[in-house]
Amino acid sequence: MAVLSDAETATGYRLAGVFVVEATPETAQAELEKLITEGQYGLVAVDTGLITDPLTSTARVMRGRDLPILLPIPSLKDAFSPDTVDAKAYMGKLVRETIGFDIKL
């Protein structure tokens, strides 16, 4: 597994033991295509703050390939941006969309 992330978020993924490729919005597409063509990873998680729709943006490169599976992951900046009024509701929505039900603590 590899994660394509910004420099700010990359540290958290590294602490979790995940291989991370840092990118900026300008370099993210090239880095993602490199991860795909190298063929070393079965799963590549892509920060949607860098590439909004990684599945569409890599359709040409992925043609004829089964792997890697591309997993768009929400940017942490989205959860805590001034536009997001309620971070708790945002995180709850992410959990609900991911696993299909709410978890209340």
Side-chain angles (χ1 to χ4, degrees):
M1 175 180 181
V3 174
L4 182 65
S5 177
D6 60 24
E8 186 177 330
T9 312
T11 302
Y13 291 115
R14 284 193 181 102
L15 288 172
V18 179
F19 175 75
V20 177
V21 174
E22 292 182 23
T24 63
E26 296 77 28
T27 63
Q29 185 67 36
E31 292 292 343
L32 179 55
E33 289 180 9
K34 183 178 170 185
L35 286 169
I36 291 168
T37 57
E38 286 177 344
Q40 295 181 1
Y41 302 99
L43 176 66
V44 176
V46 181
D47 187 320
T48 57
L50 295 174
I51 301 175
T52 306
D53 187 358
L55 303 173
T56 302
S57 72
T58 59
R60 180 187 52 80
V61 178
M62 285 295 294
R63 190 170 297 128
R65 297 177 189 266
D66 294 327
L67 295 175
I69 295 170
L70 300 179
L71 176 66
I73 53 174
S75 171
L76 291 180
K77 290 180 184 179
D78 290 343
F80 302 105
S81 74
D83 298 332
T84 306
V85 177
D86 185 0
K88 185 176 179 181
Y90 176 82
M91 297 307 283
K93 178 180 173 252
L94 293 178
V95 169
R96 190 171 43 259
E97 289 174 355
T98 303
I99 63 173
F101 56 89
D102 288 325
I103 296 177
K104 297 197 186 229
L105 300 175

